[in-house]
Amino acid sequence: MQRRRFLGLTAAGAATAALAPALTACGSDATGGDKTIRLIAADYGDKPTNSSKKYWDSLAREFESKNKGIKVNVSVLSWTEVDKKVAELVAAGKAPDLAQIGAYADFAAVGKLYSAEQLLSIPTQADFISSIAKAGEVHRVQYGLPFVSSTRLLFCNQKLFDKAGIAKAPDTWAELQAAAAKLKAAGVKMPYGLPLGPEEAPAETMMWMLSGGGSYTNNIGVYTIDSPENIKTFEWLRDEFVGKGLTGSGDPARTNRQEVFDAFTRGEVGMLNGHPTLMQQADAKGIKYTMVPLPGASGKARATMGVADWMMGFKQNGHREEIGKFLDFVYSKENVLDFTGQYDLLPVTTPASVAMAQDDQHKQLRPFIKELPNAEFYPADKTSWAKVSKSIKEKIGSTVQKGGDPAAVLGEIQREAMATENAGR
């Protein structure tokens, strides 16, 4: 997941700046070979009062009290810089012992990471939800340990639906188009929010590909970006959705996800694809909404998009045993629930997922949890994905503009993807 922040929210800049100096010793010899492990983690809070640092500091102290002799030093950075900082430290020969960030494949490809089997106890490994664990594999060996996850649903503004006389949320593209047309006729500013701008174009793109029966790759991991299904999907979007003014007056190619989320919380958007964080934002603004599975070309989409953020253990400092003990603690049911519950994210382990689904305190998350076992994830195991994602951000929006050529654009991205993939072999 190449990104700014995918599941999390950007942390306050002041908090990040205060933590930055703690990173300078990562991977150094200052500890003299002791049993201190260093973790760099992403911040899922949007202000100092809900910063993830509080969680990690508390967890580290509890772990230390139960594992005498092992120390855990934690640095928490915003999503805008944490991936870049870890990459810089690894390149400088100062890798942390653990990193909880957005992507793992580049590090795994050059032999920097321990495998899951080398770190985790068998029960901890077995607890991972299989579809998410598989997304952490490179050549069938798991190096990326999922930390938190999310799925996507279609959000519908209930007040605007009532105003437009729409009785039920759409299940198909035809129903989606009809609902958007009614919303437009009722004066809704943005009947459907289509963020194909650079912030999160790869996510919106994948959701539409899945709803049209395609995806970024096939079932053996080969890129299929310009498949007939994907081309047909973007032709439909161009002609039947954007072309008919059902996405508002703005250009989807220049529309970012957070802009659409913000507009939804102002009551200006009828429908959009969203993740659990949008619930918090909408609830805070008093927006009444319903959530349903993504509509498909002729019925419910065969799958929704899943997103995972990753934990990984670096070999450089030789703390395999200490890292493994800490991770077994991190992935206990109670600790997984503690973190995911704070930020309305989904657990990546079966015991925690079952417990959350049964807890009425988290009943709003049940529709997202239900979609998780069959969710499809970015091809994060590919070292080529970073460049492919960048290309999608730059080009995909043009497919839905007037005169856009989905076949040509998707074909160009496909050729670039295959060239990058082959160059890395």
Side-chain angles (χ1 to χ4, degrees):
M1 290 174 313
Q2 325 317 312
R3 49 79 148 346
R4 49 347 139 232
R5 46 160 212 199
F6 214 114
L7 301 178
L9 301 169
T10 303
T16 298
L19 292 167
L23 290 171
T24 57
C26 285
S28 73
D29 294 326
T31 59
D34 67 5
K35 294 185 177 183
T36 299
I37 58 177
R38 293 173 176 79
L39 164 67
I40 298 176
D43 200 336
Y44 291 78
D46 60 352
K47 51 187 175 292
T49 54
N50 69 352
S51 170
S52 302
K53 183 166 174 56
K54 292 184 177 182
Y55 170 85
W56 285 115
D57 284 347
S58 175
L59 193 74
R61 301 297 82 80
E62 184 181 355
F63 173 79
E64 290 171 351
S65 71
K66 296 178 179 180
N67 295 269
K68 300 301 182 183
I70 303 178
K71 299 293 183 184
V72 182
N73 290 342
V74 182
S75 298
V76 176
L77 296 177
S78 76
W79 274 118
T80 58
E81 60 183 326
V82 67
D83 286 338
K84 181 173 181 287
K85 175 58 69 174
V86 171
E88 289 173 348
L89 289 169
V90 173
K94 299 179 179 180
D97 296 288
L98 284 165
Q100 186 272 298
I101 53 177
Y104 65 87
D106 286 355
F107 302 124
V110 292
K112 299 288 186 181
L113 302 180
Y114 289 115
S115 69
E117 188 175 43
Q118 290 173 310
L119 293 175
L120 303 176
S121 66
I122 292 175
T124 298
Q125 268 194 277
D127 279 349
F128 285 128
I129 295 170
S130 60
S131 62
I132 311 176
K134 186 173 179 59
E137 295 180 357
V138 174
H139 302 307
R140 301 191 179 184
V141 177
Q142 186 182 357
Y143 295 97
L145 313 179
F147 180 65
V148 291
S149 64
S150 175
T151 56
R152 299 296 200 266
L153 295 172
L154 179 72
F155 282 67
C156 305
N157 182 309
Q158 192 58 54
K159 181 179 179 180
L160 297 181
F161 266 48
D162 292 342
K163 178 183 176 181
I166 303 169
K168 63 181 286 291
D171 292 324
T172 67
W173 285 359
E175 292 177 3
L176 188 73
Q177 183 192 50
K182 288 183 178 180
L183 289 163
K184 180 182 178 182
V188 175
K189 186 175 181 180
M190 188 181 291
Y192 181 90
L194 184 65
L196 293 177
E199 182 191 2
E200 202 177 32
E204 189 72 14
T205 296
M206 184 172 180
M207 284 182 273
W208 278 99
M209 285 179 170
L210 290 171
S211 72
S215 190
Y216 284 127
T217 60
N218 61 18
N219 58 8
I220 58 172
V222 176
Y223 281 118
T224 54
I225 295 166
D226 64 345
S227 69
E229 294 84 0
N230 291 341
I231 292 170
K232 183 177 179 181
T233 292
F234 281 89
E235 288 176 342
W236 186 88
L237 273 174
R238 179 196 62 195
D239 299 335
E240 303 298 328
F241 223 49
V242 179
K244 294 187 176 180
L246 302 180
T247 58
S249 59
D251 180 359
R254 293 181 173 85
T255 303
N256 285 326
R257 185 206 63 176
Q258 194 57 52
E259 296 172 34
V260 178
F261 275 25
D262 290 343
F264 186 79
T265 66
R266 294 193 300 267
E268 299 171 358
V269 179
M271 300 176 286
L272 78 168
N273 292 331
H275 56 63
T277 300
L278 181 57
M279 294 192 306
Q280 292 181 335
Q281 298 174 17
D283 290 343
K285 296 295 181 66
I287 300 296
K288 302 299 181 185
Y289 55 88
T290 56
M291 302 179 300
V292 296
L294 305 185
S298 57
K300 175 187 171 183
R302 65 178 177 82
T304 189
M305 185 185 77
V307 179
D309 290 329
W310 303 97
M311 180 75 77
M312 61 212 71
F314 287 89
K315 294 178 179 179
Q316 181 178 320
N317 303 313
H319 290 153
R320 183 176 68 86
E321 183 178 349
E322 292 82 7
I323 293 170
K325 286 183 179 180
F326 182 61
L327 289 177
D328 280 341
F329 183 69
V330 167
Y331 284 105
S332 69
K333 182 177 75 172
E334 294 74 20
N335 288 331
V336 171
L337 284 171
D338 187 12
F339 189 89
T340 53
Q342 287 185 44
Y343 299 105
D344 276 347
L345 296 169
L346 305 186
V348 297
T349 63
T350 299
S353 185
V354 170
M356 179 176 278
Q358 294 173 345
D359 186 349
D360 285 344
Q361 183 180 347
H362 300 295
K363 62 183 179 181
Q364 276 189 299
L365 289 172
R366 288 171 184 165
F368 294 97
I369 295 172
K370 184 179 179 181
E371 295 293 309
L372 190 57
N374 296 317
E376 291 194 16
F377 293 78
Y378 283 147
D381 59 316
K382 294 178 174 291
T383 58
S384 59
W385 175 241
K387 289 185 178 180
V388 174
S389 177
K390 182 174 182 291
S391 184
I392 292 165
K393 291 177 181 180
E394 294 170 349
K395 300 173 182 178
I396 198 67
S398 68
T399 63
V400 300
Q401 293 172 331
K402 185 176 181 179
D405 189 341
V409 174
L410 292 172
E412 181 180 357
I413 298 172
Q414 171 75 15
R415 289 190 295 274
E416 292 174 356
M418 293 305 297
T420 304
E421 181 81 351
N422 293 333
R425 289 178 180 172

